[in-house]
Amino acid sequence: MSDLPLWEQYRDQFPVTKNRVYLNHAAVAPLSRRAAEAMQTLAQDVLDFGSEHYLQWMAAYEGVRAGAASMINATPSEIAIVKNTSEGIATVAIGIDWKPGDIVVAFEEEFPANIYPWQRMEAAGVQIRWLSIFDPLDRIDEAAKGARLLAISYVQYLSGYRVDLDMIGEICHRRSCFFFVDAIQGMGAFPIDVQSSHIDALAADGHKWLLGPEGCGVLYVRRELQDRIEPVEFGWTNVAKYADYASRDMSLRQDAGRYECGTLNTIGCFGLRAAFELLLDVGIPKVSVAVQALGDQIWEGANEHGFETLGQRSPATGAGIVSIRKPGVESQFIVRQLREAGFVAAPRQGWVRIAPHFYIAPEEIEALLRTLRTF
């Protein structure tokens, strides 16, 4: 076991550190060296040999399923490969056989991807009970009474508020309410256990905290619930006999592959498999400690320098996202000035959103805070 700090042990995996202090993992993360090289290897192989090594492609698909399953305590048969989080959410939202009068519990602060699919169900007579992510658990408990589904983000995209999946899962389990989690802002940075949290379905893309490529993500659906969620896109690979081109048997695959309707993003799967492997090698518990500490450092330092911080933060609710603003100074201006100083952040709804991953050094955050002091 190395005595070096975690960020230093894996620093060489992230060449972006030679060019920028990258603090925008809540948007699009840089690739690790391992993920980039995996994608380059496939590209070169296809350039030289076409599809001759197709079995390696199949192994990459299985590697993504295995990596995702290992990270969230699921089984590979419960993992589908999707284009993005939105596709995963839509698969669940459209695939359920809704009835007039069904109730969905949703949260006002969500990213649109976890609002619009549920809102569209109102046309089918579904009622939405709107809550705030900051509402106490007893109010969530009351709202879940009689509800068919509750949909929430593990980490809220703007405030960085991390919800208690175990407690909300217990509520949903006790209320017989389907528990759906948009995990894109937490998976890869903080632990997720779909068993202990009673999560029924979960979606995440690879390009944020998983440190993988865009356009390649995962959808988890609990095995015993898969027959209750119909595929919303139907192609040749949804069926059990998809490898038999002469078959006309439309019986679905007996795993989450039933939600995959055709050719997958193979080069993305090579990168995402490598991204999973890297993070699992590091260890999510170690990653979460590092990310939480960096977020705390930003939160406390920004407050000291006269910035307002969004939301609430504690050891239980903090994550990798911290949004700040300075009265009288536009967020766009702050982001531009930070970029000129070598820091990459993002303007979001009047706030400056800062999102470091585990390979960022605390000294780099100190340098960021010194820059913020100038505003």
Side-chain angles (χ1 to χ4, degrees), residues 46-59:
V46 177
L47 181 67
D48 294 336
F49 296 100
S51 64
E52 184 174 337
H53 301 132
Y54 184 76
L55 290 179
Q56 294 179 13
W57 303 8
M58 301 295 289

Side-chain angles (χ1 to χ4, degrees), residues 59-69 79 81 217-218 269-270 272-273 276:
Y61 306 152
E62 293 309 311
V64 169
R65 296 187 183 100
I79 303 296
I81 298 170
V218 293
C269 286
F270 269 72
L272 187 54
R273 175 181 61 174
F276 275 125

Side-chain angles (χ1 to χ4, degrees), residues 197-215:
S197 296
H198 301 290
I199 296 170
D200 295 311
L202 169 154
D205 204 336
H207 69 272
K208 297 185 189 293
W209 301 92
L210 287 170
L211 301 168
E214 284 196 297

Side-chain angles (χ1 to χ4, degrees), residues 68-81:
S70 180
M71 189 169 285
I72 64 173
N73 192 24
T75 64
S77 67
E78 295 174 308
I79 303 296
I81 298 170

Side-chain angles (χ1 to χ4, degrees), residues 14 25-32 34-36 64 67-72 79 85 183-190 192 202-214 216-219 268 271-280 282 284 287 291 357-359:
F14 298 95
H25 296 86
V28 179
L31 288 173
S32 67
R34 192 182 299 190
V64 169
S70 180
M71 189 169 285
I72 64 173
I79 303 296
T85 311
I184 193 169
Q185 294 291 6
M187 189 172 175
F190 289 86
I192 299 172
L202 169 154
D205 204 336
H207 69 272
K208 297 185 189 293
W209 301 92
L210 287 170
L211 301 168
E214 284 196 297
C216 193
V218 293
L219 167 66
L272 187 54
R273 175 181 61 174
F276 275 125
E277 290 171 350
L278 174 61
L279 285 169
L280 290 168
V282 179
I284 297 300
V287 171
V291 171
H357 217 313
F358 78 99
Y359 65 88

